[in-house]
Amino acid sequence: SLDYSLRRLSHEQRALLPLLAPFEGGALEIQLLEISELPAATWQPLRDALERAALLSVEHIPNINPPYLRFHPILAPALRARHGEPQQLLERYATRYAELAEWLYHEDDRNPMAVRALVQRELPNLRRALGLLERQQAQEQVVVMANQIARFLNDFGMGRELVRLREVQAAAAAHLQAAAGLSRAAYLQAYGAGEDAFNRGDLPRAYQLFSQLHERIRQQPAGAARGPGSYEESLTLAWLARCLRLGGQPAAAEQRLRAALALVEALIAQAPEDKLNIRQRGGLLTELGDALGDQGRYAAAREAYEQSLDLKRTLGGDPRGEGVVLGQLGTLALRQRDYDAATRRYQEALALFRRLDEPSAEATAYHQLGRVAEEQRNWAAAEGYYRESLTIAERHNDQAGAATTCNELAIVAEGAGRPAEAEGWYRRALALDEQVQPDSALHASHLSNLADLLATEIRAGRMAATRLSEAQGYAARALAIREQLDASSEIWKILSILATLADLAGDTAAAAAYRRRERETFAQFAGNRYHIDQQFGPLIQAIVAAAQGDGAARVGVEERLPQLEAKGWLIAEAVRRIWAGERAWHGLCEGLDSQDALLVLRVLEEVGGEG
């Protein structure tokens, strides 16, 4: 029992125990000493006695010094019940833990694995200190500390607790009197609201909140803290860019990111030793790589990622940042169909995020490994990765992530020949979309995928033709969403589905119009041009040379055309018509798919045709 254990301490040592009452579960030793104000010479014998009585154990966290001291679960509650807690002791406790929250928030960028391990142990004390500050009506401290704790709740996937924390923060912010300028508390409360909207997949709301915050920043006088040209403005621009890119507008996102980079580079020029600005530059370069990759500008994207990775490694210890860049390099490799490199990068990222204990990032890494397996038609491996991702997303109430993974599980089921199961997964994804991201780019993808599945099954005679109008409704809604987005939103895929559905309905004129638009939008996207040029650059030049009278080139192309036709590249007739002098692209491409049509267009552009 506790009384038996306490009798093993001296009378003088038992008299000191009420100083330990505020702590929840234990404390970092330096915290305990500064809050209790116990001299080291007094503390060490007491600590030894508590260890011998099994009331305290010592835990050493790598890269954190001094150690964390874990109390027996009944020690602190019993001390509070018997002795209460002096007000001055509680005030020191609240103040010191507010300072610790600030340190953890910033140190997380430099030493995240150790910080996460410490936060998991100190989170009960951080919660209690925040509650004490709230009762003391220290409103600005509550807003700031809540924002710092929120980072870790989000990273640990503690969504419900995060909602409650934001309610506390908002209530504290509402009690603050309006002051001239944009106070730190006002900025953090607005920033946190936007970040939470983004994390739950509500991109329109997040964009609205960050736009409002940016407008408030721009309204501050030149040189003001959190005013124009500030670090805070660069952060806000980066969030706006994230919203735009994930909303299917990477070109607009690129503009915001370049503006943010210009701001942070000016700050670095003013203070070259300030690592905070250098870290921000690394993060912005990663985001820029994402936006460039989404536009199909792969070489520029790789350059941005590699600059970012170099910066993070030069700073000496940003494993989370490295993990993000490794994941993005994996995505870039996947887009370029370098599956071995993509797998390697994703596995490296997954290992880092496991060590960081970031479930949302782990879920993303599993999801991307599933994408690699899916593209190689390894359905069993893909399903395994996706189910791992979905389990994590559902455990942490990540509905947007769950919707995306349900969509991929549908694609896998469809590829494996299980259309009924695929339809179920698509409907589950759409139900989640309607809750958290209606009319988003992802919602459009999921709608068009279900429409495509229905079209395939109707065409094969495995589904009643009466469902044709249902499929057309899904595709039409997807098109209406996509038409508001960039060319990178892959609108051509929906146009292809609509063309197929029009054919099934017997509307040949509508089908032809859809296919014409499909060819045009597919050809506009730089990423599609990249793949055609990578795969067929020499062939395109040989066809052009033959069109310009090079007989040897023509013989070589003629020898290759049957091989291409056998592989599904049905361009032989169009090539011979180009040699005969035709230059009207759409006329040459009737009956060809988008990839064949783009290959023909690239020839026409090189030879000087209509295009």
Side-chain angles (χ1 to χ4, degrees):
S1 70
L2 178 63
D3 287 333
Y4 173 78
S5 298
L6 291 177
R7 283 197 294 272
R8 300 175 65 181
L9 277 62
S10 70
H11 175 76
E12 292 78 10
Q13 289 171 339
R14 288 197 297 272
L16 296 172
L17 289 180
L19 294 172
L20 308 183
F23 300 98
E24 294 281 2
L28 194 66
E29 188 169 37
I30 192 171
Q31 287 286 106
L32 184 150
L33 292 176
E34 292 190 7
I35 292 165
S36 67
E37 296 185 339
L38 280 166
T42 305
W43 166 244
Q44 191 60 52
L46 176 58
R47 173 181 143 173
D48 293 342
L50 288 167
E51 283 191 79
R52 288 193 298 271
L55 294 173
L56 179 152
S57 60
V58 179
E59 295 184 8
H60 293 281
I61 303 172
N63 297 320
I64 294 289
N65 188 37
Y68 177 82
L69 307 178
R70 186 177 295 280
F71 294 170
H72 189 285
I74 66 171
L75 178 61
L79 292 174
R80 288 178 209 159
R82 294 180 184 188
H83 305 288
E85 298 170 281
Q87 184 61 33
Q88 287 186 333
L89 180 64
L90 288 178
E91 288 175 1
R92 288 199 302 273
Y93 174 90
T95 299
R96 182 59 185 160
Y97 271 100
E99 292 169 355
L100 180 65
E102 179 96 17
W103 181 83
L104 291 167
Y105 182 81
H106 293 294
E107 185 66 16
D108 187 53
D109 288 330
R110 295 182 287 272
N111 190 18
M113 283 177 280
V115 166
R116 303 302 170 79
L118 180 56
V119 170
Q120 287 173 336
R121 291 162 175 80
E122 287 282 22
L123 193 54
N125 284 317
L126 293 167
R127 290 191 194 101
R128 185 166 196 233
L130 182 67
L132 291 170
L133 291 172
E134 187 181 9
R135 286 195 289 277
Q136 293 168 14
Q137 297 186 350
Q139 311 294 6
E140 184 153 354
Q141 285 181 285
V142 169
V143 172
V144 173
M145 189 175 180
N147 193 71
Q148 291 156 352
I149 296 173
R151 164 184 279 194
F152 299 106
L153 296 182
N154 181 65
D155 289 339
F156 296 156
M158 301 170 70
R160 291 185 178 87
E161 185 168 346
L162 178 61
V163 170
R164 292 194 294 271
L165 180 72
R166 290 301 192 192
E167 290 171 352
V168 169
Q169 184 187 40
H175 282 92
L176 290 170
Q177 291 185 349
L182 180 60
S183 70
R184 185 186 184 200
Y187 169 80
L188 290 176
Q189 199 276 327
Y191 181 96
E195 186 176 14
D196 290 349
F198 180 90
N199 288 333
R200 65 175 178 264
D202 190 348
L203 295 180
R205 178 61 176 161
Y207 186 82
Q208 178 189 35
L209 290 168
F210 281 116
S211 294
Q212 291 170 352
L213 179 56
H214 188 234
E215 182 61 26
R216 292 175 69 183
I217 290 170
R218 297 302 299 172
Q219 289 173 357
Q220 304 308 305
R226 294 169 292 280
S230 64
Y231 173 80
E232 287 81 1
E233 184 179 12
S234 75
L235 281 178
T236 305
L237 285 168
W239 278 105
L240 287 167
R242 290 183 196 112
C243 295
L244 288 166
R245 187 181 71 80
L246 291 183
Q249 300 182 64
E254 180 190 352
Q255 293 178 352
R256 298 282 185 160
L257 289 166
R258 292 198 183 279
L261 275 166
L263 289 180
V264 84
E265 284 165 1
L267 293 170
I268 291 170
Q270 295 168 19
E273 302 304 317
D274 189 336
K275 290 186 177 181
L276 185 64
N277 291 323
I278 297 172
R279 284 193 179 86
Q280 172 69 349
R281 183 171 184 267
L284 290 170
L285 284 167
T286 302
E287 304 263 7
L288 180 61
D290 296 345
L292 292 168
D294 284 355
Q295 295 174 72
R297 295 158 61 188
Y298 300 136
R302 180 175 294 280
E303 182 181 355
Y305 288 139
E306 289 175 348
Q307 286 181 32
S308 177
L309 195 58
D310 287 345
L311 268 178
K312 293 176 188 306
R313 288 173 173 167
T314 300
L315 285 170
D318 182 5
R320 186 208 290 127
E322 286 187 39
V324 170
V325 179
L326 287 168
Q328 298 310 89
L329 282 166
T331 298
L332 186 61
L334 177 60
R335 284 172 166 165
Q336 295 176 293
R337 299 168 191 162
D338 185 347
Y339 301 122
D340 289 341
T343 299
R344 184 176 68 255
R345 294 298 196 184
Y346 287 138
Q347 287 176 338
E348 289 171 354
L350 177 61
L352 273 172
F353 289 129
R354 277 177 177 161
R355 284 156 51 201
L356 292 172
D357 192 22
E358 289 198 18
S360 62
E362 283 185 60
T364 298
Y366 275 121
H367 182 95
Q368 293 304 101
L369 284 165
R371 288 282 312 282
V372 177
E374 178 188 318
E375 293 230 353
Q376 298 175 89
R377 303 179 69 81
N378 185 345
W379 306 123
E383 182 172 356
Y385 285 130
Y386 287 139
R387 285 187 180 275
E388 287 281 359
S389 179
L390 182 61
T391 297
I392 295 171
E394 290 182 332
R395 184 186 305 138
H396 297 285
N397 199 32
D398 178 7
Q399 292 177 299
T404 301
T405 303
C406 287
N407 175 75
E408 295 302 327
L409 281 163
I411 292 171
V412 168
E414 191 174 352
R418 307 194 300 269
E421 180 185 334
E423 183 176 350
W425 282 117
Y426 283 135
R427 292 193 181 282
R428 187 169 166 186
L430 290 171
L432 290 166
D433 288 336
E434 293 288 358
Q435 294 177 45
V436 295
Q437 52 191 13
D439 298 329
S440 64
L442 287 171
H443 191 190
S445 292
H446 305 163
L447 285 162
S448 63
N449 286 347
L450 178 54
D452 189 38
L453 171 68
L454 298 182
T456 299
E457 294 303 296
I458 292 168
R459 185 170 48 195
R462 295 187 293 266
M463 186 175 286
T466 52
R467 299 194 67 185
L468 185 59
S469 61
E470 178 188 349
Q472 288 174 319
Y474 295 136
R477 185 174 176 191
L479 180 63
I481 295 169
R482 290 290 193 190
E483 285 178 327
Q484 307 302 314
L485 308 177
D486 288 357
S488 60
S489 63
E490 300 186 351
I491 193 172
W492 57 86
K493 293 183 178 180
I494 303 172
L495 292 165
S496 176
I497 295 166
L498 284 163
T500 298
L501 292 168
D503 277 335
L504 290 170
D507 191 343
T508 55
Y514 283 131
R515 290 202 168 90
R516 183 184 182 101
R517 283 189 65 196
E518 176 194 351
R519 290 193 294 270
E520 291 171 345
T521 54
F522 185 87
Q524 287 170 7
F525 182 51
N528 296 330
R529 288 172 170 266
Y530 168 89
H531 287 304
I532 289 292
D533 287 349
Q534 285 288 107
Q535 190 171 358
F536 294 113
L539 174 66
I540 291 168
Q541 295 307 315
I543 295 170
V544 171
Q548 294 169 342
D550 186 332
R554 179 161 183 162
V555 170
V557 173
E558 286 284 9
E559 289 177 353
R560 192 171 174 195
L561 284 174
Q563 301 168 14
L564 290 166
E565 294 265 329
K567 293 178 180 178
W569 292 90
L570 309 180
I571 61 168
E573 181 185 348
V575 167
R576 293 184 182 116
R577 287 165 63 186
I578 290 171
W579 287 340
E582 288 191 45
R583 296 293 184 267
W585 179 45
H586 285 295
L588 287 164
C589 294
E590 288 296 333
L592 299 186
D593 67 21
S594 294
Q595 292 196 85
D596 292 344
L598 179 52
L599 200 162
V600 171
L601 177 61
R602 290 293 296 116
V603 171
L604 290 173
E605 289 173 344
E606 293 295 318
V607 84
E610 179 183 279

